[in-house]
Amino acid sequence: MILKELTKKRVLTIDYYKNGSLQTCKGRVCNLDLYEQTLSLKDEQQKVFSIRLSGIKDIH
């Protein structure tokens, strides 16, 4: 149910850990890969960020 909400085309702000530090990214979900356990987020400049699902701290 939670993963289904992530696939809606709205702007999200995700706080996540990468290499031990907390990062923040804002954009729209462009891909959700359950096999690789990654989420791809595209920001306003069309830059794509790949985020591990296990590293996500907060979604708002």
Side-chain angles (χ1 to χ4, degrees):
M1 190 68 151
I2 294 170
L3 296 177
K4 186 177 179 181
E5 287 294 317
L6 290 176
T7 60
K8 292 186 177 177
K9 298 293 182 187
R10 58 186 169 135
V11 177
L12 300 173
T13 302
I14 298 179
D15 298 327
Y16 64 99
Y17 288 102
K18 184 173 182 179
N19 297 330
S21 63
L22 187 63
Q23 305 285 323
T24 300
C25 184
K26 184 176 182 180
R28 298 180 193 274
V29 175
C30 62
N31 188 26
L32 179 61
D33 187 347
L34 297 178
Y35 181 74
E36 293 290 327
Q37 299 284 309
T38 59
L39 173 77
S40 297
L41 203 67
K42 190 181 286 188
D43 67 0
E44 291 85 19
Q45 289 79 29
Q46 303 301 315
K47 185 175 177 183
V48 177
F49 296 93
S50 181
I51 302 169
R52 303 241 351 130
L53 294 177
S54 63
I56 295 175
K57 181 181 185 293
D58 194 19
I59 299 174
H60 31 145

